[in-house]
Amino acid sequence: MGYEYIGITVLWIFLYGYLIVASIDFGAGFFAYYARITNKDHIMNKLISRYLSPVWEVTNVFFVFFFVGLVGFFPDMAYYFGQALLVPGSIAIVLLAIRGSFYAFESYGSKNNSVYMFLYGATGLFIPASLSTALTISEGGFLNVTDDDVRLQFGELLLNPYSWGVVFLAVVSVLYISSMFLTYYAGRADDEGALSLVRKYALFWSIPTIIASMTVFIALSQHNPEHFNRMFDYWWMFGLSVFFYLIAVFLVYSERFYGWAFIAVMFQFFFAFLGYGISKLPYLLYPHVTISESVTPDTMGLALVIVFIAGLFLLIPSLILLMRMFLFDADYVKGKK
Amino acid sequence: MIELDSVMLSRMLTAMTLIFHIIFATIGVGVPVMISLAELIGIKKKDRYYSLMAKRWARGFTIIVAVGVVTGTAIGLQLSLLWPSFMQLAGKVIALPLFMETFAFFFEAIFLGAYLYTWDRFKNPMTHWLLSLPIIIGGTLSAFFITTVNAFMNTPAGFDMEDGVITAINPIAAMFNPATPTKVFHVVSSAYMTSAAILATIAAITYLVKRDQEYAKRALKLTVTAALVFSVSTAIAGDLSAKFLAEHQPEKLAAGEWHFETEKGADLVVFGTLNEDNEITGAIRLPNMLSFLAYGDFNAEVTGLDQIPDDEEPPLWIHYIFDLMVSIGFLVLGISFLYVLLTYVKRWNPYQKWMLWAVAAIGPLSMLAIEFGWIYAEIGRQPWILRGFMTVAEGATTSPNVGWMFLLFFLLYFVLGVGVLVVLRKMFKDHPAELELEHLYKEVDEGGKR
Ligand code: HDD
Ligand code: HEM
Ligand code: HEM
């Protein structure tokens, strides 16, 4: 197997990881704000802040890891995406920056400041929307590539049904993943009031999630038929995704096994994301960049893989430690520590 | 008039982001060392003031780190957004340390979370202290990795270039290029120094406004001593950096020292101004000192700007910047030395107004020196982005929207800057140390009764 496959696998897994942890975080921010304006914050916010406070930076690093790794394994992506994404990329950075810092200001500094809460709630929905445009652009059709220049065609992007489909899917998935997680977390914390609230959110958002997924499928068939057709070779992955979706919703609906329900959500997105990714290969950026042409030279590829493996030996034990302290320590979750 | 094309604007945006980020990055690298020291002393001496000090510093630190993380994320992306061709080329050789840096971030972020939320969760306080070590290691490693990338831009190594195609890549040699040792030493040491100095400034002002004086006295002793130690090592590292420049990047040293003619026994030009004909006026000339500083030998030959092609000469104004950095270095060293002297000699009193005001100045001064140092290092590399291989103009984006992005980020940094100040003020103004200490004692005592 060439380094391009190792590289893309590693990156894809981390992007998937970011998708899950960031969705939890972004959605929780929105729910916290929503609870505030509907005067339900006494029910929700303690729960949310106990989970979020210790982990938001870790979430951010997932993202940094992804884009640094992308440029490392596939330096040509720096050129194409760098040239094209200056504006959407900068907007995403600004939103991320506002969110991260105002979250810190709110939770370590001035508690319960409404402006901070708002910034942090609203950005939770705009960030996934703006980040998802990178995936949209990678489907091709939005770039004007000449010998020494790459330009993004904003008009096309703004008028395109596929691009709006992706934005819609990104936003509702965030709310769905997050409410599913909060249901599990509230269940663990034995917090009845919060549980019944977030459980309702979870069930509610499950409906637009499936609708949006279907919409995006249809829009892709119009936008990039080649990719769409290849997706059929991997139909079973999407089938599994729907299967896990049904399990998750069923479990939450019948008020049982919230932990398993969330694991089902993770599988749902794992398979959908994997199916999307695999069928997209060999293109990173259709039709300009393929993984095999853009991959970094072998020596660098090898070095990156070695560092990656060494890094995992450092990271996994530390992450387990963190999770045991905050996520799986029943006393902490219940607020006794 | 300088033309505001996308190259110039990209440079301005990069400079603005880095100048803002470095404030938070420096504190992010150095303050964990101070927190860890204070906590350790608190445990060893069983002095609750020191434990409280560690706690309060850690609380302020969270805000700074948050801004460090978000602005760092901004540069990380901006490097590709603004310098796509540079990253495409350099990425093939120097991606390794950038990639390693993300692991250092992970490591630091994980343990910072663990550290902050477990103050009273362990029976043995040393267990909690141990959690501070991975934070120090993570922060210092990130400084190390990113500095190797910057060093690579100054003295590229670890590859061959044939007709614009990169071959024979050796990522390790690229990372440990000739500039790496001195640069890393100087950057890390100056970050420790600056962090200690900033905490000293806070302690001095606390004392001067007559609040929490018992607490402030201990804080002063710890921070100023640390500032002294680290400013000595920073000066040593700076000297080594100059020796490195003389050997590997003579044009930067020559421009910084206004050294025009290659000669033996070169004079050191301190301060002064330059007139239209590039003649130096009003400067102090230290005979043969430049040769000594550059090579440890008063008669060594030092390369001057006459050896450098005209279109590869860095701007000459970096001389002022360089002199300011060095002056601050010695000033801070002097002030902290004097303070430490007054503390250790029994008959003398360090808590005099003028002394404390001087100490109060060292934090902002050191931060300025950090900025000057970087400006010197970065402008001194001009016109190269990758010295000898790619100029800044070749590396930049051709996007027409950089100007708008500059405004956008200017606004962002403004908001973040004001936000940090407001939040930090609020955090400490309403919670003086003495009060917090009483509060803690009460909790501990009541906890004992229960
Ligand atoms: C507290 C901050 C501080 C202080 C007091 C000093 N420096 Fe410095 N200096 C830095 C902070 C710094 C820096 C921010 O860390 C730089 C910028 C880039 C780098 O490598 O380090 C730097 C760069 C830098 C360079 C350029 C290195 C290169 O481009 O490779 C030289 C030659 C010196 N310094 C020399 C000195 C000397 C002789 C000092 C005398 C005491 C001194 N510095 C004090
Ligand atoms: C954090 C401290 C740093 C500061 C304050 C700083 C400052 C600056 C400044 C002032 C410029 C503008 C130069 C000009 O306009 O002529 C610049 C350019 C640049 N710096 Fe740095 N720099 C820092 C560290 C780094 C590091 C560690 C890297 C490498 C990863 C780096 C990469 C660049 C690049 C790519 C440019 C654009 C090219 C150029 O103008 O030379 N900088 N920086
Ligand atoms: C010498 C100058 C620099 C130093 C000492 C430095 C150090 C730091 C530190 C201490 C942090 C906070 C990390 C944390 O606490 O988790 C940070 C964040 C960051 N820095 Fe810098 N940095 C420098 C320049 C740069 C440059 C030039 C880049 C671009 C490649 C960069 C990229 C980042 C990124 C991406 C983050 C965010 C990491 C995260 O999400 O946790 N830094 N940096």
Side-chain angles (χ1 to χ4, degrees), chain B residues 393-406:
Chain B
E394 290 161 352
T397 180
T398 51
S399 168
N401 298 315
V402 187
W404 291 108
M405 296 305 112
F406 184 86

Side-chain angles (χ1 to χ4, degrees), chain A residues 53 57 60 65 76 79 82-83 86 90 93 101 104 108 110 149 151 297 299-300 307 315 325-326 329 337, chain B residues 62 66 69 73-74 80-81 88 92-93 96 102-103 106 112 117 121 169 397-399 401 405 416 426-427:
Chain A
S53 310
E57 275 189 75
N60 194 57
F65 183 97
D76 288 352
Y79 178 71
Q83 284 278 15
L86 179 66
S90 299
I93 300 171
S101 47
Y108 310 123
S110 25
D149 201 5
R151 285 277 155 88
T299 22
M300 180 55 84
V307 163
L315 222 86
M325 272 179 181
F326 297 109
D329 182 328
K337 275 187 185 168
Chain B
T62 56
V69 168
T73 310
S80 296
L81 294 175
Q88 186 184 23
K92 294 185 176 127
V93 192
L96 187 68
T102 60
F103 284 101
F106 256 126
L112 185 63
Y117 288 87
R121 260 169 85 175
I169 291 169
T397 180
T398 51
S399 168
N401 298 315
M405 296 305 112
L416 292 185
K426 223 172 152 175
M427 201 178 227

Side-chain angles (χ1 to χ4, degrees), chain B residues 8 11-12 14-15 18-19 21-22 79 83 86 98 146-147 149-150 153 371 374-375 378-379 381-382 384-385 392:
Chain B
M8 191 61 209
R11 291 168 69 186
M12 285 163 56
T14 306
L18 282 163
I19 283 174
H21 176 67
I22 193 63
L79 275 185
W83 309 100
F86 164 65
L98 282 174
I146 194 66
T147 308
V149 178
N150 186 268
M153 293 165 64
E371 301 283 8
W374 277 108
I375 292 172
E378 299 290 288
I379 303 285
R381 193 184 59 234
Q382 299 303 313
W384 301 109
I385 194 168
V392 171

Side-chain angles (χ1 to χ4, degrees), chain B residues 331-352:
Chain B
L331 193 63
V332 172
L333 207 162
I335 293 174
S336 25
F337 178 73
L338 194 63
Y339 182 90
V340 170
L341 195 70
L342 294 187
T343 321
Y344 285 94
V345 177
K346 278 267 146 39
R347 278 178 298 126
W348 292 338
N349 169 20
Y351 307 108
Q352 306 171 49

